[in-house]
Amino acid sequence: MRTQVGIVGAGPAGLMLSHLLHLAGVESIILENRSREYCEARIRAGLIEQWATDMLVETGVGERLTREAMFHDGNYLCFNRALHRIDFRKLVGKGVTIYGQQEVVKDLIARRLADGGQILFEVKGTNVYDFDGKEPKIAFQHDGKTKQIACDFIGGCDGFHGVCRPSMPPGVLTNFTRDYPFGWLGILSESPPPDHELIYAYNERGFALYTMRSPTLARLYIQCAPDEDIDDWPDARIWEELHVRLGGTRKLAEGHIVQKSVTPMRSFVCEPMQFGSLYLAGDAAHIVPPTGAKGMNLALADVRVLSRAIEAFYRKNRTDLLQNYSATCLNRVWKAQRFSWWMTQMLHRYNFENDFEMRRQLAELDYVTSSQAAATSLAENYAGLPME
Ligand code: PHB
């Protein structure tokens, strides 16, 4: 097999890369080790920055999103038993879209297949090589046969645990990591969220987030230990904690819990994001803690930069955009890292014995919600920094 761009991974990064390349007249093949059903059901955050929503709509994959998503002009910070609204629309003229990541994945898969795109699901033993030479290759097993794709570029869109990043030669990458002493216990509940916009709550007992997938489906998270045993959290304990952490600011309806899981928290960046003709994008190159929901947005930003660079190579024989790929992406990645870390450190309890830390966090929350300059900074980052 031969194609122009071999893509490893059918998450938002790989699928969007393939879609954008197709619109630019460039061929690609996507390899994915999971099944289509698994990719379409995998629950992740559900918040899309303004520019990314615009890109989905403008490139023809926003039809269902336009009908079914929820569009928010602001959110709430909750502390000291009061809600404080941050009005993104008023402060920066932008909003955010609430639409599950797996819905974006479903829409992209449907669109790629309708456009004749090739996605091979349930491949085994994927291996990328020769990407420092003339013709990079991907070997894999599919339908019980060993196969190989020769290509011009490889898109490493296979996530944090994928094969692409570890395939880089030793000494090429520098890793930057920060771990957090907590995780999020998340549930999906068949009940209305407490408000039509998101509530980020700081509480003596720890952080909680009240978000949603629809007006009748709440997505709720509570700060827990990083290695929390989900069996220690019967439904009644989860609801009690959610009520306490909301501080009586809104009524919280309880519903049937349809999903429960623990999300780890990690900040990670590898530099550079490219070697030879292997280009890493999305979680393969960086992880953000979920506070602020930047993960998918960064993945979409990476592949927009990459698709334009590849298009410029084929159309105009330009290599400068390809050479700048890593630096261009990392500029945005580090700003999103800073923002995700900042939201996380402001809203979580680190040391339950240290009241200095708590007073400092409360002062920061009071500052962010009472100073227009500080609120504007939050809004600008949350709704998404400009792409150009
Ligand atoms: C979500 O809806 O799952 C979500 C929203 C905002 C976040 C994190 C997760 O910061």
Side-chain angles (χ1 to χ4, degrees):
M1 283 195 252
R2 151 107 218 148
T3 190
Q4 289 173 297
V5 184
I7 299 174
V8 187
L15 290 163
M16 192 66 186
L17 177 59
S18 180
H19 176 58
L20 293 174
L21 289 172
H22 170 71
L23 296 178
V26 178
E27 263 182 22
S28 65
I29 299 176
I30 304 178
L31 304 178
E32 166 61 52
N33 61 9
R34 306 279 191 167
S35 67
R36 178 175 178 180
E37 294 68 35
Y38 180 92
C39 295
E40 293 188 338
R42 182 162 43 188
I43 297 188
R44 291 286 185 275
L47 189 140
I48 309 177
E49 294 176 356
Q50 179 77 64
W51 72 270
T53 301
D54 296 344
M55 176 173 76
L56 290 165
V57 172
E58 282 159 17
T59 64
V61 282
E63 198 247 328
R64 194 164 65 93
L65 176 149
T66 307
R67 266 187 289 123
E68 296 179 9
M70 300 168 81
F71 299 94
H72 290 178
D73 287 333
N75 68 7
Y76 292 94
L77 296 179
C78 173
F79 57 97
N80 285 341
R81 301 179 188 289
L83 289 182
H84 303 262
R85 187 161 183 272
I86 309 278
D87 190 331
F88 311 148
R89 185 68 57 191
K90 195 173 90 205
L91 293 166
V92 295
K94 292 179 187 176
V96 295
T97 303
I98 303 298
Y99 191 65
Q101 173 170 316
Q102 76 270 31
E103 306 306 323
V104 175
V105 165
K106 278 184 214 165
D107 295 346
L108 282 167
I109 289 177
R111 183 58 201 259
R112 280 314 292 125
L113 295 178
D115 287 343
Q118 281 199 70
I119 311 174
L120 305 183
F121 290 100
E122 297 177 73
V123 305
K124 300 270 167 302
T126 304
N127 184 19
V128 295
Y129 57 103
D130 283 355
F131 46 83
D132 51 351
K134 256 207 150 93
E135 192 174 60
K137 293 177 195 73
I138 312 177
F140 58 99
Q141 279 118 43
H142 190 238
D143 287 341
K145 293 187 204 86
T146 298
K147 301 182 183 176
Q148 182 188 278
I149 296 178
C151 47
D152 300 326
F153 301 98
I154 297 176
C157 305
D158 52 349
F160 185 68
H161 299 288
V163 300
C164 289
R165 193 180 66 253
S167 302
M168 294 282 195
V172 165
L173 298 183
T174 306
N175 295 331
F176 301 87
T177 314
R178 172 185 286 260
D179 288 316
Y180 299 87
F182 39 76
W184 283 10
L185 192 154
I187 62 164
L188 203 55
S189 165
E190 288 171 340
S191 51
D195 191 277
H196 84 277
E197 292 177 334
L198 273 60
I199 302 174
Y200 288 80
Y202 177 85
N203 185 275
E204 303 85 83
R205 309 248 293 244
F207 170 74
L209 172 61
Y210 306 77
T211 170
M212 67 212 68
R213 289 295 173 269
S214 79
T216 54
L217 194 58
R219 177 82 172 139
L220 307 165
Y221 299 98
I222 39 189
Q223 177 184 345
C224 62
D227 54 352
E228 194 77 50
D229 184 354
I230 205 115
D231 293 338
D232 291 341
W233 288 84
D235 294 2
R237 181 175 174 209
I238 295 177
W239 288 115
E240 187 197 320
E241 228 25 67
L242 285 166
H243 286 296
V244 169
R245 296 186 192 191
L246 194 51
T249 55
R250 283 282 184 278
K251 274 214 173 70
L252 176 66
E254 297 183 11
H256 173 55
I257 297 179
V258 287
Q259 193 257 355
K260 242 190 233 187
S261 59
V262 173
T263 309
M265 308 276 283
R266 179 188 290 128
S267 300
F268 170 82
V269 181
C270 80
E271 294 189 9
M273 288 170 55
Q274 165 263 338
F275 179 78
S277 43
L278 173 57
Y279 292 77
L280 303 177
D283 283 5
H286 41 71
I287 297 286
V288 286
T291 331
K294 292 288 173 230
M296 177 171 69
N297 293 292
L298 280 180
L300 295 175
D302 288 349
V303 299
R304 190 168 109 143
V305 174
L306 183 54
S307 65
R308 289 185 175 195
I310 293 175
E311 180 181 2
F313 172 80
Y314 285 118
R315 278 185 201 250
K316 306 198 185 114
N317 224 353
R318 274 177 66 175
T319 54
D320 56 324
L321 297 181
L322 286 167
Q323 269 154 24
N324 290 340
Y325 169 74
S326 182
T328 305
C329 290
L330 286 169
N331 183 287
R332 186 180 188 84
V333 165
W334 275 110
K335 286 175 185 146
Q337 287 290 354
R338 184 209 66 85
F339 178 69
S340 305
W341 161 83
W342 175 76
M343 287 279 282
T344 301
Q345 64 80 36
M346 175 169 69
L347 287 160
H348 292 74
R349 290 224 60 187
Y350 281 69
N351 177 346
F352 287 87
E353 266 84 65
N354 189 334
D355 289 345
F356 179 91
E357 204 50 32
M358 187 168 86
R359 289 289 190 280
R360 183 197 66 76
Q361 289 170 313
L362 288 168
E364 184 154 26
L365 285 160
D366 186 43
Y367 175 59
V368 165
T369 52
S370 59
S371 151
Q372 176 159 327
T376 304
S377 169
L378 189 159
E380 180 180 40
N381 284 278
Y382 194 91
L385 293 173
M387 266 306 286
E388 249 62 71

